[in-house]
Amino acid sequence: MLEYLRNAAEKTWAKILMFILIFSFVGWGAAEWIFGSATRDMTLIHVGNADISVQQFANEKSNVLSGMSKEEQRAAYTDSAKAAALTQSVMSSLTMKQLALNRAKDLGYFVSDKRIADEIRSYPQFQNQGKFEPWLFDMVLQRSGMTEQDFANSLRRDILRQLAIGVMTVPVAVPQFAVDAFYNGRYAKREIKYATVKFNDFKVSEPTTEQLKAYYAQNPKVIPEKRSVSYVFVAADMNKPDKYDAGFKKAQLVEDMIISGSSMQEAADKYKIKFVQVPAFARNEKISDKVLSDGLTDKVFAMNTGMESELLELKDGFAILRVDDIIAEHNASFESVQKDLVSGWKKSEQRKNAYVLANEKLVDLNTGKDLKDVKSVIVSRTEGASISVLNAAFANHDGTNALVEDTNAFYVVHINKNVAPKSDDKKKQDIRKELQGMSGHYVSDDYGQFLKRKYPVKINQKNYDRFIAK
């Protein structure tokens, strides 16, 4: 066969065919090399007619990370929830900035070079004894890796955004009637009277097994899902580059050994690192193991049985996790909780008896009969009675009768009248500021929604999945 191919290669038709094939491959590669980067769409977010690139996202994320502490930076890399929150925050910030720029452009706003120059001269970082120094300006630019034009363009964009959204910073006028209504609603009091029917005023006998089973059928004890975990841990001083590199190399060797089929115990023995088996625990259960932080606990409960994690970078070393077993959520057996059910059953029976008596009292109150053991009080929204009674007092109109349930009692409540508060100018002024802030948020949110309608925002899902969500 090989001899036949060698002989055929000398023929003219074979040479022509090989030339065509070689030219096709070379042409394909050259086209990719010449045009690939130019034609590839690197847009991450479309904002109206403007685009935000993957590189802009990366730059903005780097700026945000540089302003974080080392602990916050580490959490952003190791905690999936915090990493996702950071990504969304950066994307939202970039989007809002571009929305403002789009609006400024449509409104015809313009920032002159003189305005830019004046702004630069006013920066304290570029001044020496209150006077602008060009050498300070150049030094700061060199440290930041920006050119003079880059800085000017960035400053111009910031000014345009402020022009577009600056109106949102103006305090919203709040009418006096709104202040008065809010003040009266917050500080008014209620004059009420109420009777208390306590659960423990009623005596009940010991329950039978059948009664407890019926009660447990309505009130089962659910055992949450639990997982047992194993992990290997390579300790390293993460703040020292040489120690970090040495720990990372060892962790990679451990990872390679596990991937090749060795057990975690074997890898730990060979490289003299920590191997730990953690007994089954629930997601919200407090455990003493220091490595399994809250972030890693979330990761554990996202894995399948026998599944091993990637190499994880922690605050004091590297780890690889494995879920050994999953105990699914289930109801505890009746026999295991039977003794614990007695108190719950008794309280349930007491509640039933208390409810019957409280309803009788409510009927008497509604038909105009006087209640016994009535307490008359004036209450505020936070003081004077139990929270459940206060909520009922301010949720109903004057003259209303209500049956209110609390943890250990029922209350039969009559709301007599509203008691207006005394005027307090200081409190009203505080309320005015509070309402201005609330109104400002409402206006800003509404303006933001207007901008999104005006300049539709669309995520390039392909690039998001390729560069951001990986």
Side-chain angles (χ1 to χ4, degrees):
M1 183 66 179
L2 291 174
E3 184 66 25
Y4 172 78
L5 290 175
R6 279 195 291 269
N7 293 334
E10 297 300 322
K11 297 180 180 180
T12 303
W13 63 267
K15 292 181 179 180
I16 294 174
L17 179 61
M18 290 183 68
F19 174 78
I20 293 173
L21 289 172
I22 292 171
F23 180 80
S24 299
F25 282 115
V26 171
W28 181 23
E32 173 66 17
W33 177 65
I34 295 171
F35 302 111
S37 60
T39 58
R40 187 179 297 127
D41 180 15
M42 295 298 288
T43 300
L44 177 62
I45 310 172
H46 300 282
V47 184
N49 293 326
D51 294 333
I52 298 172
S53 69
V54 173
Q55 186 60 50
Q56 285 176 275
F57 171 85
N59 293 341
E60 183 72 8
K61 185 177 179 180
S62 296
N63 291 336
V64 174
L65 285 169
S66 66
M68 294 181 174
S69 66
K70 289 185 177 179
E71 288 297 320
E72 291 173 329
Q73 290 175 357
R74 189 172 290 113
Y77 285 111
T78 59
D79 188 325
S80 58
K82 291 182 179 179
L86 175 61
T87 295
Q88 292 305 313
S89 175
V90 172
M91 291 181 66
S92 176
S93 175
L94 285 172
T95 300
M96 291 308 299
K97 287 178 180 179
Q98 188 59 56
L99 285 169
L101 281 178
N102 288 3
R103 188 59 180 162
K105 180 181 179 181
D106 281 359
L107 292 175
Y109 291 151
F110 172 76
V111 180
S112 67
D113 291 341
K114 182 179 182 306
R115 170 74 183 275
I116 296 296
D118 291 341
E119 290 285 341
I120 292 175
R121 293 191 188 96
S122 68
Y123 272 58
Q125 303 95 303
F126 308 144
Q127 294 180 355
N128 181 25
Q129 297 181 349
K131 181 181 178 182
F132 175 73
E133 294 288 356
W135 65 270
L136 279 175
F137 177 56
D138 293 338
M139 182 177 67
V140 173
L141 289 184
Q142 288 176 1
R143 288 178 178 175
S144 63
M146 298 178 68
T147 66
E148 187 173 328
Q149 190 61 48
D150 290 338
F151 186 83
N153 291 338
S154 176
L155 183 56
R156 179 174 280 106
R157 288 192 294 269
D158 288 342
I159 295 173
L160 286 171
R161 282 192 287 265
Q162 288 301 318
L163 290 173
I165 64 176
V167 66
M168 297 297 101
T169 63
V170 178
V172 178
V174 178
Q176 186 60 42
F177 78 85
V179 175
D180 292 339
F182 207 89
Y183 178 80
N184 290 333
R186 177 173 294 180
Y187 295 108
K189 296 185 177 182
R190 294 286 193 276
E191 182 181 281
I192 67 171
K193 60 181 181 179
Y194 65 93
T196 306
V197 182
K198 297 180 180 179
F199 296 173
N200 58 16
D201 286 343
F202 299 87
K203 305 300 180 184
V204 294
S205 59
E206 293 297 316
T208 66
T209 301
E210 292 305 315
Q211 287 174 321
L212 286 180
K213 285 183 177 180
Y215 173 74
Y216 188 56
Q218 298 297 320
N219 304 275
K221 180 181 179 181
V222 178
I223 306 298
E225 177 186 310
K226 292 189 175 185
R227 299 188 173 209
S228 55
V229 179
S230 298
Y231 68 83
V232 287
F233 178 73
V234 180
D237 189 338
M238 309 298 275
N239 295 317
K240 296 180 179 179
D242 55 337
K243 301 292 185 182
Y244 175 94
D245 291 341
F248 182 63
K249 289 179 181 179
K250 179 184 283 191
Q252 285 182 314
L253 293 173
V254 172
E255 183 181 35
D256 291 342
M257 188 172 175
I258 293 172
I259 291 174
S260 66
S262 299
S263 68
M264 284 188 170
Q265 181 70 71
E266 291 170 339
D269 291 343
K270 179 175 181 178
Y271 292 101
K272 295 180 174 57
I273 60 173
K274 182 187 289 187
F275 169 67
V276 179
Q277 291 179 300
V278 183
F281 62 92
R283 180 188 290 272
N284 297 321
E285 183 178 347
K286 186 176 181 180
I287 55 177
S288 58
D289 191 278
K290 294 181 179 179
V291 171
L292 292 177
S293 62
D294 291 340
L296 292 188
T297 299
D298 291 339
K299 180 175 285 292
V300 165
F301 279 83
M303 297 166 62
N304 296 322
T305 306
M307 180 180 178
E308 291 160 352
S309 71
E310 69 277 17
L311 184 60
L312 302 173
E313 182 177 325
L314 309 180
K315 64 180 181 180
D316 51 2
F318 304 88
I320 300 175
L321 309 176
R322 182 183 63 217
V323 176
D324 295 325
D325 190 25
I326 298 177
I327 304 173
E329 179 182 281
H330 61 282
N331 291 344
S333 66
F334 171 75
E335 290 73 20
S336 67
V337 298
Q338 184 173 356
K339 292 181 179 179
D340 300 329
L341 297 174
V342 175
S343 61
W345 180 87
K346 285 185 175 181
K347 185 173 181 179
S348 176
E349 292 300 305
Q350 289 174 323
R351 180 191 174 279
K352 292 177 184 177
N353 293 330
Y355 180 72
V356 172
L357 180 57
N359 265 287
E360 291 174 355
K361 289 180 176 290
L362 180 62
V363 171
D364 291 342
L365 186 61
N366 287 334
T367 56
K369 295 180 181 179
D370 293 332
L371 294 179
K372 295 180 180 180
D373 303 320
V374 171
K375 186 175 182 179
S376 296
V377 293
I378 295 177
V379 299
S380 69
R381 289 186 177 272
T382 58
E383 296 178 336
S386 69
I387 293 298
S388 58
V389 172
L390 297 181
N391 289 339
F394 285 90
N396 295 285
H397 299 293
D398 297 354
T400 301
N401 298 325
L403 179 62
V404 180
E405 182 175 2
D406 206 347
T407 306
N408 296 302
F410 284 104
Y411 298 97
V412 182
V413 182
H414 171 73
I415 304 166
N416 190 25
K417 63 179 180 179
N418 181 66
V419 180
K422 293 181 180 179
S423 182
D424 186 318
D425 292 338
K426 174 63 170 60
K427 289 182 178 179
K428 286 188 176 182
Q429 186 61 29
D430 291 341
I431 284 178
R432 181 178 295 279
K433 291 180 181 178
E434 183 181 342
L435 290 176
Q436 284 178 336
M438 292 169 58
S439 300
H441 284 304
Y442 294 148
V443 172
S444 295
D445 290 344
D446 186 61
Y447 188 58
Q449 293 303 316
F450 159 74
L451 292 178
K452 289 178 181 178
R453 292 192 300 270
K454 182 76 174 177
Y455 314 103
V457 177
K458 184 179 180 181
I459 305 295
N460 186 329
Q461 197 62 44
K462 181 179 179 181
N463 282 342
Y464 178 85
D465 293 339
R466 181 180 179 186
F467 298 104
I468 311 302
K470 60 182 179 180

